């Protein structure tokens, strides 16, 4: 009796499970049909209007010694961070000591201060989950700190020490130079790095401060005294812009800034450095770096460009939107229709205070290299000849304007932008002027700037790839193809 009852229960359970499974399949199938029926093509999607962006409240003041200070309160989290921009850069270092600015920026922090050794500095910061960092890039130096609100005074004091009294310990310079030598030894490991480095040399010239390369010989020339001299030349309060954002009271923060930096003596003779002139090194030609191990070609094409303060910057950015991204001409033609590359791009890339570049490129199969280059050339010429359609214009402008909000994702980003504009002498509302200019850009504007600024006849073409696998050969692009030797020069006395 019991056995019979158990079989019946088991049979019922099996039947119930089958019915439940069938019901699940039916519901899922119906749901899938409904979802499929209701799905829209991406061109049919409609999005809410992007809300207007407003700058958070901030305070700007200048100490008597010339230090410019920005304060922006943000009490969302118990954190405070700050950044100082220093008017310096690797473009100002001597040509025979390439790497000097980078070493100065690194060893300022790693080398300790006159009050705290490197280990002491690290220990104090680690105990508080805080950070103080320094660096010097191409066109600016920077020092930054991050701290919990409760540790602000301690960490800000260390930050001031690093800025005002770095020790530049010899052993830390030696370590930085050893690491730099390792980077030089590995710099040809990546075809992307080769292409980017050599392309800048073709555009700006191999001796330009915007394309110079650190070598074993320049590293060996740099001494601790050079770091001290470089630091002393540029690190003065009237050559800095300091910005602080986070969980603090502005009145108290202002007093803390005064206490840490108010007695730092200014340099009355400091002047804005004379920036090096920029002229195009090449105005055409096809160049090649042979890398036999590669199965695809890395290609860059372009010419010298312009600056962000161009009155046509907004129209050129809309031009970028017509060329680039999903739905852009390069994607639709070179990638989708011709199937020559997974990624392809072309954009006008300006700089704040020196000419940037117009760059087009991507990666393609070795046997499609010539076809890829020709396709890019055709699209660059096409943007000048073929009027931008209303659909293309709307897509480019909407993409540009919708991404505008991401310039203000958090107060730190917003404050950094304000500081950077002051650093380069741009108006504080520069980004909002740009936004308005994008909104009023017409199809005629896009075609005008394409014809005015793009120079298809002066495109410099660089290919990094496998010479034997590139068929047809690059001579189909130009009768003369110039080979570039990327062999790394060895230190004197070594082979």
């Amino acid at each position: 009796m019991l056995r019979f009852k158990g079989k019946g229960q088991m049979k019922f359970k099996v039947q119930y499970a089958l019915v439940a499974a069938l019901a699940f399949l039916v519901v899922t199938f119906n749901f899938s049909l409904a979802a499929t029926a209701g799905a829209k093509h991406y061109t049919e999607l409609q999005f809410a209007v992007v809300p207007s962006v407003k700058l958070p409240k901030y305070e700007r003041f200048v100490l008597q010694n010339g230090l410019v200070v920005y304060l922006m309160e943000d009490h969302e989290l118990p954190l405070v961070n700050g950044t100082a921009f220093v008017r310096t850069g690797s473009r100002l270092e001597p040509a025979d000591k390439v790497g000097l600015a980078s070493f100065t920026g690194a060893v300022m922090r790693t080398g300790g201060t006159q009050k705290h050794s490197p280990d002491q500095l690290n220990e104090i910061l680690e105990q508080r989950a805080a950070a103080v960092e320094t660096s010097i890039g191409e066109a600016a130096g920077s020092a930054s700190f991050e701290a919990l609100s409760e540790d602000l005074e301690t960490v800000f004091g260390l930050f001031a020490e690093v800025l005002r009294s770095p020790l530049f310990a010899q052993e830390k310079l030696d370590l930085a130079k050893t690491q730099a030598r390792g980077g030089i030894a590995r710099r040809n490991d990546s075809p992307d790095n080769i292409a980017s480095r050599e392309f800048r040399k073709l555009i700006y010239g191999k001796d330009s401060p915007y394309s110079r390369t650190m070598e074993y010989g320049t590293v060996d020339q740099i001494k601790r005294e050079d770091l001290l001299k470089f630091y002393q030349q540029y690190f003065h309060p009237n050559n800095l812009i300091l910005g602080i954002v986070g969980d603090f009271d502005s009145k108290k923060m202002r007093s803390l800034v005064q206490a840490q930096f108010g007695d730092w003596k200014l340099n009355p003779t400091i002047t804005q450095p004379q920036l090096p002139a920029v002229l195009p090194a090449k105005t055409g030609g096809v160049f090649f770096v042979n890398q036999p191990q590669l199965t695809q070609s890395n290609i860059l094409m372009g010419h010298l460009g312009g600056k962000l303060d161009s009155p046509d910057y907004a129209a050129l950015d809309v031009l970028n939107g017509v060329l680039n991204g999903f739905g852009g001409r390069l994607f639709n033609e070179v990638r989708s229709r011709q199937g020559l590359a997974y990624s392809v791009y072309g954009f006008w890339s300006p700089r704040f205070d020196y000419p940037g570049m117009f760059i087009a490129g991507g990666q393609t199969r070795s046997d499609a290299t010539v076809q890829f280059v020709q396709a890019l050339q055709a699209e660059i010429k096409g943007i000048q000849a073929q009027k931008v359609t209303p659909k293309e214009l709307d897509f480019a402008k909407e993409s540009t304007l919708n991404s505008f909000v991401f310039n203000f994702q958090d107060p730190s980003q917003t404050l950094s932008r304000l500081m950077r504009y002051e650093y380069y002498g741009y108006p504080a509302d520069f980004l909002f002027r740009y936004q308005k200019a994008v909104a009023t850009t017409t199809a005629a504007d896009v075609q005008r700037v394409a014809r005015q600024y793009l120079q298809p006849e002066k495109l410099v073409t660089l290919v990094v790839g496998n010479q034997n696998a590139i068929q047809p050969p690059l001579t189909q692009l130009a009768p003369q193809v110039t080979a570039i030797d990327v062999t790394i020069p060895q230190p004197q006395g070594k082979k």
Side-chain angles (χ1 to χ4, degrees):
M1 186 72 176
L2 292 175
R3 182 183 296 177
F4 176 78
K5 186 177 180 180
K7 286 183 178 179
Q9 287 178 334
M10 182 174 292
K11 182 178 180 181
F12 174 76
K13 288 180 179 179
V14 171
Q15 291 175 337
Y16 179 80
L18 289 173
V19 171
L22 180 61
F24 174 78
L25 289 173
V26 170
V27 171
T28 302
F29 181 70
N30 289 337
F31 178 78
S32 298
L33 285 176
T36 303
K40 294 182 178 180
H41 192 266
Y42 77 93
T43 57
E44 300 175 319
L45 297 176
Q46 294 183 352
F47 301 96
V49 177
V50 178
S52 60
V53 176
K54 295 182 180 179
L55 290 178
K57 182 180 178 181
Y58 68 93
E59 180 181 355
R60 180 192 180 279
F61 60 94
V62 183
L63 299 186
Q64 288 186 348
N65 58 13
L67 177 65
V68 177
V69 183
Y70 284 83
L71 300 180
M72 184 180 287
E73 294 186 27
D74 176 23
H75 302 285
E76 184 175 356
L77 295 171
L79 301 172
V80 181
N81 64 75
T83 300
F85 288 155
V86 188
R87 289 188 174 89
T88 182
S90 61
R91 59 186 176 181
L92 304 178
E93 65 194 2
D96 62 342
K97 295 182 179 180
V98 177
L100 171 59
S102 175
F103 292 146
T104 303
V107 183
M108 267 189 73
R109 167 63 182 85
T110 62
T113 71
Q114 294 177 14
K115 293 182 180 179
H116 293 92
S117 69
D119 289 342
Q120 290 173 332
L121 195 60
N122 291 337
E123 184 177 356
I124 296 171
L125 292 170
E126 288 172 2
Q127 287 174 347
R128 291 162 175 79
V132 173
E133 302 295 340
T134 59
S135 65
I136 298 179
E138 177 184 81
S142 70
S144 63
F145 74 89
E146 296 178 4
L148 293 169
S149 305
E150 63 189 48
D151 298 321
L152 175 59
E153 289 193 24
T154 299
V155 176
F156 191 67
L158 296 176
F159 169 74
E161 275 186 42
V162 170
L163 264 176
R164 296 185 58 178
S165 57
L167 189 62
F168 293 110
Q170 180 65 53
E171 64 271 18
K172 297 301 181 180
L173 172 59
D174 293 340
L175 175 60
K177 292 171 71 172
T178 298
Q179 293 171 335
R181 293 186 184 99
I184 293 172
R186 297 187 301 273
R187 74 184 184 197
N188 288 336
D189 290 354
S190 165
D192 287 338
N193 291 343
I194 294 173
S196 176
R197 182 185 71 236
E198 298 303 321
F199 189 71
R200 290 184 69 87
K201 291 180 182 180
L202 292 172
I203 299 299
Y204 292 106
K206 62 183 180 64
D207 296 324
S208 168
Y210 298 111
S211 59
R212 289 186 305 218
T213 305
M214 189 188 304
E215 303 288 359
Y216 293 120
T218 66
V219 171
D220 292 341
Q221 291 285 334
I222 298 170
K223 311 298 180 187
R224 178 177 178 272
E225 292 73 21
D226 297 314
L227 272 65
L228 287 168
K229 182 178 179 182
F230 194 85
Y231 166 82
Q232 292 165 358
Q233 185 173 359
Y234 298 107
F235 282 75
H236 302 281
N238 52 325
N239 205 37
L240 272 73
I241 301 174
L242 172 63
I244 306 170
V245 61
D247 184 31
F248 58 79
D249 175 78
S250 291
K251 186 176 180 180
K252 293 180 180 179
M253 190 71 242
R254 188 166 184 154
S255 297
L256 186 58
V257 171
Q258 177 66 38
Q260 292 294 344
F261 291 101
D263 62 345
W264 192 7
K265 293 184 179 181
L266 61 80
N267 181 352
T269 62
I270 197 166
T271 57
Q272 293 294 328
Q274 184 67 36
L275 298 181
V278 176
L279 297 172
K282 303 290 183 184
T283 54
V286 178
F287 301 83
F288 180 68
V289 178
N290 188 28
Q291 296 287 284
Q293 77 280 8
L294 298 182
T295 58
Q296 67 176 13
S297 294
N298 288 57
I299 299 162
L300 287 176
M301 303 167 58
H303 53 68
L304 196 64
K307 298 194 297 180
L308 282 162
D309 60 2
S310 165
D312 290 322
Y313 168 50
L316 286 162
D317 219 20
V318 175
L319 170 68
N320 288 350
V322 174
L323 282 174
N324 276 304
F326 291 99
R329 289 190 180 184
L330 294 177
F331 182 92
N332 290 341
E333 177 63 23
V334 181
R335 181 189 187 276
S336 298
R337 197 185 75 79
Q338 297 190 39
L340 295 175
Y342 181 76
S343 66
V344 59
Y345 50 85
F347 55 92
W348 184 263
S349 177
R351 294 289 182 266
F352 277 103
D353 61 356
Y354 73 94
M357 296 182 283
F358 170 69
I359 307 173
Q363 297 80 38
T364 190
R365 307 184 318 272
S366 297
D367 63 356
T369 301
V370 170
Q371 187 181 354
F372 179 86
V373 171
Q374 291 171 336
L376 280 181
Q377 291 172 338
E379 289 306 308
I380 293 169
K381 292 177 181 178
I383 198 81
Q384 295 181 315
Q386 300 168 10
K387 187 175 181 179
V388 175
T389 66
K391 183 178 179 181
E392 287 180 314
L393 180 67
D394 290 344
F395 176 81
K397 289 173 65 173
E398 286 179 11
S399 299
T400 304
L401 292 172
N402 287 342
S403 65
F404 183 78
V405 67
F406 295 107
N407 293 296
F408 304 90
Q409 292 184 82
D410 58 65
S412 294
Q413 186 184 37
T414 303
L415 185 59
S416 176
R417 185 174 292 278
L418 289 171
M419 293 168 60
R420 199 170 297 276
Y421 287 157
E422 177 160 350
Y423 182 93
Y424 289 107
Y426 281 60
D429 64 344
F430 172 76
L431 199 60
F432 292 98
R433 296 184 188 184
Y434 156 80
Q435 182 189 32
K436 292 179 181 178
V438 169
T440 57
T441 296
T442 65
D445 292 328
V446 175
Q447 191 168 43
R448 175 182 60 81
V449 296
R451 290 174 175 173
Q452 181 177 344
Y453 293 93
L454 302 188
Q455 304 173 55
E457 73 284 356
K458 294 183 179 180
L459 287 173
V460 175
T461 302
L462 173 65
V463 177
V464 179
N466 183 341
Q467 183 175 8
N468 293 329
I470 296 177
Q471 297 296 334
L474 295 178
T475 50
Q476 292 224 346
L477 298 173
Q480 180 179 351
V481 176
T482 304
I484 297 177
D485 183 6
V486 295
T487 302
I488 301 169
Q490 297 301 305
Q492 291 184 355
K494 295 184 180 181
K495 296 183 179 180

